[in-house]
Amino acid sequence: MAGELPFEKPLIELRGKIEELKQFSLDKQIDFTDEIARLEQRYEQLETELYSTMNTSQKMQLARHPQRPTTLEYIQHVFTDFIELHGDRVYSDDLAIVGGLARLNGVPVTVVGHQKGKDTKDNIARHFGSPHPEGFRKALRLMQQANKFRRPIITFIDTKGAYPGSAAEERNQGEAIARNLLEMASMRVPILCVVIGEGGSGGALALGVGNRVFMLENAIYSAITPEGAASIIYRDASKAMEAAEAMKITADEILKLGVIDAIIPEPKGGAHRDVAVQAESIKKVLWSNLQELSKLSENEIVEDRYRKFRGIGSFTTIQEGNHNHA
């Protein structure tokens, strides 16, 4: 397996023993069929046990896996006729955000997403998937175009957060994110969002105001990175794993909180194990929900999105005098 993670070490060692025994059997012309079969069975059991009992830290490692599929990879598998569009028409083109026109099962849509690099050079060019203001403005320009021409919007979320540099702040990073939230809330077309890796802070929310929000099984979603939270709470970034456990950032925990609508399963071992299979799962969820939302009127689409976000973290209060005293 390429790009193994530390917690996968037992699997790596067992797979190594199996391969060694196979090679020894070939070299010495000795039949170890039964022994290999037992080891293969043990491997399958260990694999199932390992990936079905992952803790928050292990899921976070998978969400950040260097080989985890990116927005452009999913676009290639999920959509047809993709035409990438560039620039925010104000400052420049931010490679941390990609987007354009495409078709989903023949239906015209607009696709926008964070884009991390696949190697060091690519990551530097794309700011490791952390957009500058022009990235968010490019995303908004494409979404406004989609709203104008009544095309559904699909977003892929995968960022640790907005770019934290001084240049980004000088170009009004906060305003750019806030503008996206405001505009997406009132758009009159269906918006479907998928957290494919890491959904971090305002950088994720800027593409995350949708009628339906989904997460891949091993993705994470948080208001701040666990490292950032640990630095603030514990004054020690090395306690990131401890912070991650307390923050409830995994897909199953986020679903319980009502922030997302559903979890999209991943292949055993993570999305990077089979991009085509993962993309097909995403495509099915997008298509079924798009068909459902397409039955709504424009006003109903806006109201549906409003109700969704008003319901997150909802609470009731009892006014003084409106309750019985013992």
Side-chain angles (χ1 to χ4, degrees):
M1 298 183 292
E4 297 89 351
L5 298 170
F7 73 91
E8 295 174 311
K9 186 177 179 180
L11 281 177
I12 300 167
E13 292 176 346
L14 184 53
R15 172 52 61 190
K17 291 178 181 178
I18 293 171
E19 296 305 322
E20 285 179 12
L21 189 55
K22 286 181 178 179
Q23 189 60 50
F24 186 78
S25 177
L26 287 173
D27 293 342
K28 301 300 183 180
Q29 295 298 303
I30 302 174
D31 187 5
F32 287 115
T33 303
D34 291 342
E35 288 81 357
I36 292 172
R38 281 194 293 271
L39 286 175
E40 290 282 9
Q41 184 178 21
R42 172 57 185 152
Y43 181 87
E44 291 179 7
Q45 292 172 344
L46 181 61
E47 186 180 46
T48 299
E49 179 182 335
L50 181 68
Y51 293 122
S52 62
T53 59
M54 287 189 295
N55 58 32
T56 300
S57 171
Q58 292 164 340
K59 288 188 175 183
M60 188 166 73
Q61 291 176 53
L62 276 180
R64 295 174 170 178
H65 198 290
Q67 295 179 359
R68 194 164 179 86
T70 64
T71 293
L72 286 176
E73 288 175 274
Y74 285 128
I75 287 175
Q76 180 183 355
H77 285 86
V78 174
F79 306 95
T80 57
D81 304 318
F82 176 63
I83 301 174
E84 186 174 356
L85 302 178
H86 299 271
D88 66 342
R89 300 297 186 267
V90 176
Y91 184 78
S92 70
D93 186 37
D94 187 350
L95 299 181
I97 293 280
V98 296
L101 314 177
R103 292 181 184 273
L104 177 63
N105 288 336
V107 175
V109 297
T110 288
V111 187
V112 183
H114 302 97
Q115 180 64 29
K116 292 181 177 179
K118 299 301 288 185
D119 55 41
T120 302
K121 183 179 180 181
D122 194 22
N123 259 319
I124 291 173
R126 298 186 185 278
H127 314 299
F128 293 84
S130 294
H132 283 68
E134 51 269 24
F136 296 121
R137 290 178 180 129
K138 173 168 71 171
L140 180 58
R141 180 176 74 83
L142 298 182
M143 290 189 285
Q144 288 172 331
Q145 182 193 70
N147 190 53
K148 177 179 179 180
F149 292 102
R150 299 300 182 259
R151 287 192 303 267
I153 298 166
I154 296 170
T155 72
F156 291 108
I157 297 168
D158 188 17
T159 182
K160 288 187 176 183
Y163 192 80
S166 59
E169 295 297 338
E170 289 168 358
R171 297 198 293 275
N172 294 322
Q173 182 78 284
E175 188 277 338
I177 293 172
R179 179 71 59 183
N180 279 30
L181 302 181
L182 176 66
E183 295 283 346
M184 289 183 77
S186 61
M187 287 187 175
R188 308 179 74 79
V189 296
I191 303 177
L192 303 172
C193 310
V194 186
V195 183
I196 59 175
E198 186 171 9
S201 192
L205 287 177
L207 299 186
V209 184
N211 295 84
R212 302 289 182 270
V213 181
F214 310 103
M215 283 180 71
L216 297 194
E217 182 180 357
N218 297 312
I220 58 176
Y221 205 7
S222 61
I224 187 175
T225 64
E227 292 84 357
S231 296
I232 295 171
I233 298 171
Y234 306 114
R235 304 291 183 183
D236 185 357
S238 68
K239 293 187 176 181
M241 297 305 103
E242 185 177 338
E245 292 287 350
M247 290 166 65
K248 300 187 182 301
I249 62 176
T250 61
D252 54 344
E253 291 169 328
I254 296 294
L255 181 63
K256 290 176 185 176
L257 293 171
V259 176
I260 61 171
D261 299 281
I263 298 171
I264 302 175
E266 294 189 26
K268 191 182 296 183
H272 62 286
R273 292 289 186 86
D274 197 326
V275 182
V277 167
Q278 184 65 77
E280 186 60 31
S281 297
I282 293 173
K283 185 176 182 179
K284 287 179 180 178
V285 170
L286 291 176
W287 181 242
S288 63
N289 281 272
L290 181 57
Q291 287 182 303
E292 177 187 330
L293 290 169
S294 296
K295 298 174 183 177
L296 303 180
S297 68
E298 292 181 0
N299 288 338
E300 288 172 332
I301 287 171
V302 177
E303 181 62 24
D304 173 84
R305 195 180 307 125
Y306 174 80
R307 284 198 306 268
K308 171 183 172 53
F309 282 89
R310 285 293 293 178
I312 296 174
S314 61
F315 63 94
T316 58
T317 59
I318 300 176
Q319 292 183 354
E320 241 183 277
N322 288 353
H323 55 82
N324 295 323
H325 293 273

